[in-house]
Amino acid sequence: MEIYNFGKELIVEAGKFIETRMTQEFKVDSKSNPNDLVTDVDKETEQFLYTKILERFPEHRIIGEEGHGENINDTKGVIWIVDPIDGTLNFVHQGENFAISIGVFIDGTPYCGLVYDCMKQDLYHAKYGNGAFLNEQALAPAEDVPLNQSLIAINPKRILGEATRSPFFEIMAKSRSVRSYGSAALEFAMLARGQISALLFFKLYPWDYTGGAIITGELGYKTTDIYGEELPLLSTTSVISGNPKIHSEILEHFTDDKILHDFHDKFHDL
Ligand code: 2AM
Ligand code: CA
């Protein structure tokens, strides 16, 4: 409970840090490609989280999007997986619709998930086995809405390639309609609220999904890769998340797609 309560206070504090910092000037750089942005605020917020966690729990380890924990290759002990700003493009272009995302694991087992929309002051949180909450309010369990009655969220840029197009397009066509909000963490939050019924992401990093997957898992939503396997903590993968019914409907589209599987397994150039 100590880690959970500390995490909840810390993520809100980090949100205040971002809110203040974003009113000042900050530098925007690109990483792997011109559309993959990082700002000083991402880096400083990760450093803020890193320093505070280690001050309180010196033996814990931290993996962050902006470089912390790059040398971690086992899941022993307590590991915090943090994304200081999930939805950096929204942060830069919109000044909202981004979140801080944290997943905490003990010996590789989920311990708690936290997603904080600091501009709305909405904290989504869950301690494994204890239900999930939006601020003080308990969130409702997953309902078995089928694909043809569902809004689903995707990351559109990733499905423009030949290899990914066919199963993704079939699934999108079957759905009621498709949305793309630009922050996996917030899309998990919308799943937790029942505002969308599934997420479908081609290749994410653990910091994009661990917090959200723990929170939605508490409500009965299922999250796996495109093979139906548990998501890794130390490598990238594609992500399917939704109520058990829609999850299996979506998974069926991927089961026999050898071209996609081949492409998926080789596509490391995020
Ligand atoms: P980010 O803003 O932290 O990078 C947008 O569709 C979602 O995909 C966001 O959660 C975004 O997280 C993530 N994303 C954007 N670029 C990415 C990349 N190069 N690799 C993995 N995830 C990425
Ligand atoms: Ca990020």
Side-chain angles (χ1 to χ4, degrees), residues 193-208:
R193 295 175 74 159
Q195 295 175 324
I196 51 176
S197 317
L199 314 178
L200 185 48
F201 286 118
F202 188 78
K203 289 276 182 171
L204 291 180
Y205 284 99
W207 43 77
D208 298 319

Side-chain angles (χ1 to χ4, degrees), residues 31-33 35-37 42 65-66 83 85-90 154-156 158 180-187 201-205 207-208 236 269-270:
K31 294 197 281 189
S32 60
N33 67 65
N35 301 319
D36 182 12
L37 301 185
D42 297 65
E65 175 163 20
E66 307 314 336
D83 191 344
I85 299 184
D86 183 69
T88 300
L89 291 181
N90 290 350
I154 56 155
N155 52 348
R158 304 291 174 80
S180 183
Y181 297 100
S183 158
L186 286 183
E187 285 160 307
F201 286 118
F202 188 78
K203 289 276 182 171
L204 291 180
Y205 284 99
W207 43 77
D208 298 319
T236 66
D269 184 22
L270 291 163

Side-chain angles (χ1 to χ4, degrees), residues 74-79 104-111 230-231 233:
D74 69 86
T75 57
K76 281 192 221 96
V78 182
I79 296 188
V104 183
F105 293 80
I106 302 181
D107 292 327
T109 302
Y111 173 75
E230 206 176 301
L231 299 183
L233 302 188

Side-chain angles (χ1 to χ4, degrees), residues 86-98:
D86 183 69
T88 300
L89 291 181
N90 290 350
F91 175 75
V92 171
H93 286 262
Q94 306 174 337
E96 59 181 349
N97 303 321
F98 60 88

Side-chain angles (χ1 to χ4, degrees), residues 122-137:
D122 277 342
L123 175 60
Y124 299 84
H125 56 101
K127 182 167 173 287
Y128 193 63
N130 283 276
F133 299 81
L134 165 54
N135 300 318
E136 302 304 316
Q137 198 174 350

